[in-house]
Amino acid sequence: RRWAGVPAAKSGKAAHRRPESRPARTRRWAFVYGLTSLGLSLLPALALLPALVVITLFLRGTHDAGTALLHALAAVPLATVAGMACYALFVLAGVRTLGLGLRAGHHPVHGRIAWQAWATERLMDMARVHLFPLYASLFTPVWLRALGMKVGRGVEASTVLALPSMTTVGDGAFLADDTMVASYELGGGKLRIAQSRVGKMAFLGNSGMAVGGSSVPKRGLVGVLSAAPRGAKEGSSWLGMPPMKLPRAAEEGDQSRTYRPARRLKWARGAVELCRIVPVMGGAALAVLVLAAFGTLAARWGFAAAMAAGGVLLLAGGLVACAVAVLAKWLLVGRFRAAERPLWSSFVWRNELADTFVEVLAVPWLVGAISGTPLMNWWLRGLGARVGRGVWCETYWLPEADLVRIGSGASVNRGCVVQTHLFHDRIMRMDQVVLEDGATLGPHGIVLPGATVGACATVGPASLVMRGETLPAGTSWLGNPIAAWKPEKARDMRKTEGAAK
């Protein structure tokens, strides 16, 4: 049988029969995968070595703690650049090397080509975290081309995950946050890879997927959390899993602010995006200060006392990081309101800069570790979100927090995105999202702008609440896009199938 969709439903017989025997598995390849995992986990530490060398050079000749601290802080800008450049070179060299001999087809998991594809995706995924300031910027297409991806002119790309040598992106295309292109598929002990293409002027929405062998058609659109269909016609739009055709007319905005910006706008955007390294430097400076405080405690009270106070020092550092990120948000963009802004506007660039403070400063230091705690609610309120009493929130992905209202006793599970903006046609459209008292958003669910989840309503896992939808109080919904969900009916169906077996 073949199952597809969200929720999964029977859609006929499987296209391929299961092989009678699995491909050969060897201890040698198991060891290679394990060793590669270890090596990849050490890359961030290895990339810090040039930064440590820079700081050591600045500390040369210092004799007291106060002077050493000042010299170390002075070394932070150069050390930050050195560390990021080193990590980028590691990723670049690794991805280009692993791309050699990579070819489309079904390959045994315990084999060279499968290992190359697997390791490449690991590197690409890590780069999105450790090189976050490079993404969703003017430099992103340059970076992707350097990795081996065929990228056209005027492309906008955010945190895309792809096999570069298997990916082609046409002129003027837009790849939104967390898109996946030409990713491998596993089954029957084999790994499948194939070429994938995003056509000219096409749009692949947040968490959208164009798996190997599929493509986003020219001037086409694949919506949020949706899969690209096979053989789609030019200009068509698709939403959901499995994808369904979506009637939509592209909106024509001011071309000078969407697709054909003036040179002065490019220079202005580049200047703002260069500032994205500031929060990275802030994180490095904070690390220097925490280490200095730890050293001071160890010198005065002994190493055991310093270790005992280590948690308090890290918490203090995390609170400072969060305070800086909150301050950056209010200074850079102020309060978000429902509005429309073209891509080539300072508001959009400043918004991305404020988000960088969150992703590379607040999240690593504290926010990433406080999911589902009162601290998370306080953090979101600091950013401008209206969060009621007793809210359980396991996500910080509230892009424009002022436009979010979460009622008392509501639950927002892990991996959810309360998506208050869409970027179709290179125009950022922002609107409010409301989760009323007692509402539940299941794991990895997404709510689009203008939507309201009624009191005590439930949205199941991996589900998509479409733009402008209102879910009545006390109802249950599931799917991509959502449909009425009756858990008791689902249980009855499972019992019936079990009895038949």
Side-chain angles (χ1 to χ4, degrees):
R1 292 177 178 176
R2 182 176 185 271
W3 293 72
V6 178
K10 286 183 289 186
S11 60
K13 294 184 178 181
H16 303 284
R17 293 182 179 179
R18 293 187 60 178
E20 294 181 2
S21 60
R22 294 176 59 91
R25 297 170 61 88
T26 65
R27 291 184 179 180
R28 176 171 63 89
W29 276 111
F31 176 76
V32 169
Y33 275 102
L35 188 63
T36 305
S37 294
L38 178 61
L40 293 177
S41 68
L42 293 175
L43 274 187
L46 293 175
L48 286 178
L49 293 178
L52 294 176
V53 170
V54 170
I55 293 176
T56 301
L57 292 175
F58 271 73
L59 291 177
R60 184 177 296 174
T62 57
H63 301 290
D64 61 273
T67 304
L69 177 59
L70 292 176
H71 282 223
L73 291 174
V76 162
L78 184 58
T80 300
V81 173
M84 287 191 67
C86 183
Y87 192 85
L89 287 174
F90 281 152
V91 173
L92 180 61
V95 170
R96 293 301 298 227
T97 303
L98 290 166
L100 298 175
L102 203 63
R103 66 179 187 273
H106 291 79
H107 309 282
V109 170
H110 278 212
R112 177 183 62 83
I113 293 179
W115 168 78
Q116 287 177 232
W118 171 85
T120 299
E121 280 211 7
R122 300 288 81 71
L123 275 172
M124 295 289 290
D125 196 25
M126 292 169 62
R128 300 190 304 173
V129 176
H130 299 290
L131 299 175
F132 183 81
L134 299 184
Y135 289 84
S137 71
L138 288 174
F139 187 75
T140 311
V142 179
W143 168 245
L144 296 177
R145 289 187 196 106
L147 293 174
M149 189 182 298
K150 298 175 183 176
V151 180
R153 296 170 57 87
V155 167
E156 292 288 336
S158 186
T159 47
V160 58
L161 179 63
L163 288 178
S165 61
M166 293 283 157
T167 303
T168 301
V169 182
D171 297 344
F174 194 116
L175 305 178
D177 297 339
D178 297 322
T179 48
M180 184 178 290
V181 184
S183 182
Y184 63 75
E185 297 179 23
L186 293 169
K190 290 188 176 182
L191 178 145
R192 175 185 174 271
I193 54 176
Q195 294 283 342
S196 187
R197 178 180 177 83
V198 179
K200 293 182 179 180
M201 310 284 283
F203 180 89
L204 184 58
N206 294 41
S207 302
M209 290 163 281
V211 299
S214 67
S215 63
V216 184
K218 181 180 179 181
R219 295 184 179 274
L221 177 144
V222 173
V224 174
L225 202 63
S226 302
R230 299 181 188 274
K233 294 182 179 180
E234 178 178 333
S236 59
S237 299
W238 302 83
L239 181 76
M241 284 192 283
M244 62 180 186
K245 197 168 184 179
L246 185 71
R248 190 189 80 93
E251 296 185 25
E252 294 292 337
D254 182 357
Q255 294 287 300
S256 67
R257 292 282 181 167
T258 53
Y259 287 95
R260 293 193 292 271
R263 182 167 295 183
R264 62 179 179 81
L265 289 177
K266 293 181 179 180
W267 281 104
R269 178 179 172 182
V272 175
E273 290 176 348
L274 280 176
C275 296
R276 293 187 188 181
I277 200 169
V278 173
V280 185
M281 294 177 181
L286 198 53
V288 169
L289 291 172
V290 170
L291 287 172
F294 185 88
T296 301
L297 287 176
R300 291 188 178 182
W301 305 101
F303 187 76
M307 286 291 292
V312 176
L313 291 176
L314 289 174
L315 177 60
L319 293 174
V320 170
C322 288
V324 171
V326 168
L327 181 63
K329 181 265 180 183
W330 289 106
L331 290 176
L332 289 168
V333 293
R335 184 174 296 280
F336 290 105
R337 292 179 173 84
E340 294 185 2
R341 306 276 186 166
L343 170 64
W344 291 89
S345 63
S346 67
F347 175 86
V348 173
W349 313 332
R350 288 182 280 113
N351 186 24
E352 292 287 352
L353 177 56
D355 184 59
T356 305
F357 274 90
V358 172
E359 293 283 353
V360 306
L361 186 59
V363 171
W365 276 92
L366 184 61
V367 173
I370 59 174
S371 296
T373 70
L375 285 176
M376 176 64 82
N377 297 344
W378 296 339
W379 154 255
L380 295 175
R381 291 183 188 120
L383 291 175
R386 288 168 288 174
V387 180
R389 295 173 58 86
V391 165
W392 173 273
C393 186
E394 284 190 87
T395 182
Y396 61 88
W397 286 325
L398 282 62
E400 291 78 35
D402 305 285
L403 296 173
V404 176
R405 178 164 66 84
I406 304 176
S408 298
S411 299
V412 183
N413 284 271
R414 63 189 179 277
C416 290
V417 182
V418 184
Q419 187 69 44
T420 45
H421 76 260
L422 291 174
F423 236 127
H424 302 161
D425 309 312
R426 300 200 174 194
I427 299 173
M428 184 181 185
R429 298 175 177 86
M430 297 173 288
D431 204 350
Q432 189 178 39
V433 172
V434 177
L435 275 68
E436 295 184 350
D437 295 354
T440 297
L441 186 58
H444 300 283
I446 297 180
V447 183
L448 296 185
T452 298
V453 180
C456 298
T458 297
V459 178
S463 298
L464 176 66
V465 183
M466 293 180 64
R467 181 179 183 179
E469 287 189 321
T470 297
L471 309 186
T475 54
S476 298
W477 304 82
L478 177 70
N480 181 1
I482 56 168
W485 180 27
K486 298 180 179 179
E488 64 278 2
K489 182 178 180 180
R491 286 195 297 269
D492 292 342
M493 289 177 63
R494 286 195 296 270
K495 288 180 181 178
T496 301
E497 290 187 359
K501 290 179 182 179

